[in-house]
Amino acid sequence: MTIKEQLIREIEQAPESSLIRFMQIWQFAKQSSFTAISSEDWEQYQETLFVLQNDDLMKQISRSMATHEERQGYQPSKEEMDEILSF
């Protein structure tokens, strides 16, 4: 039985209440292993990798964290805060 067939069998046999498990990471191993993840998780991982591999972005985040900790960062106006908090 192939890994694909095993996955299909597992999905078909799973009780409806437990199908949420398939949104989480699943690992199957046979000759080689692979990981099945939701498209939402995939997009989040790709965004994280993009940020981590972008030196300029990492430096910007680091500077932003430093100014935040020192309370020297940008202070939005009352109007800007009202707009931000209106969501």
Side-chain angles (χ1 to χ4, degrees), residues 14-64:
E16 189 173 327
S17 62
S18 67
L19 286 178
I20 193 70
R21 291 181 303 158
F22 292 101
M23 296 304 291
Q24 299 171 351
I25 296 176
W26 279 72
Q27 291 189 351
F28 297 90
K30 191 164 179 160
Q31 287 121 4
S32 63
S33 60
F34 71 93
T35 303
I37 62 173
S38 70
S39 60
E40 182 179 326
D41 287 343
W42 174 257
E43 290 172 8
Q44 290 174 355
Y45 293 143
Q46 293 302 306
E47 182 179 355
T48 300
L49 286 173
F50 174 78
V51 171
L52 292 174
Q53 293 173 347
N54 186 316
D55 288 338
D56 291 335
L57 228 79
M58 290 300 293
K59 288 175 186 172
Q60 181 181 351
I61 291 169
S62 179
R63 286 191 305 268
S64 181

Side-chain angles (χ1 to χ4, degrees), residues 2-12 22 26 28 34 36:
T2 67
I3 294 172
K4 180 180 176 182
E5 291 168 338
Q6 289 176 1
L7 178 60
I8 291 170
R9 192 173 109 224
E10 288 290 325
I11 291 171
E12 288 173 346
F22 292 101
W26 279 72
F28 297 90
F34 71 93

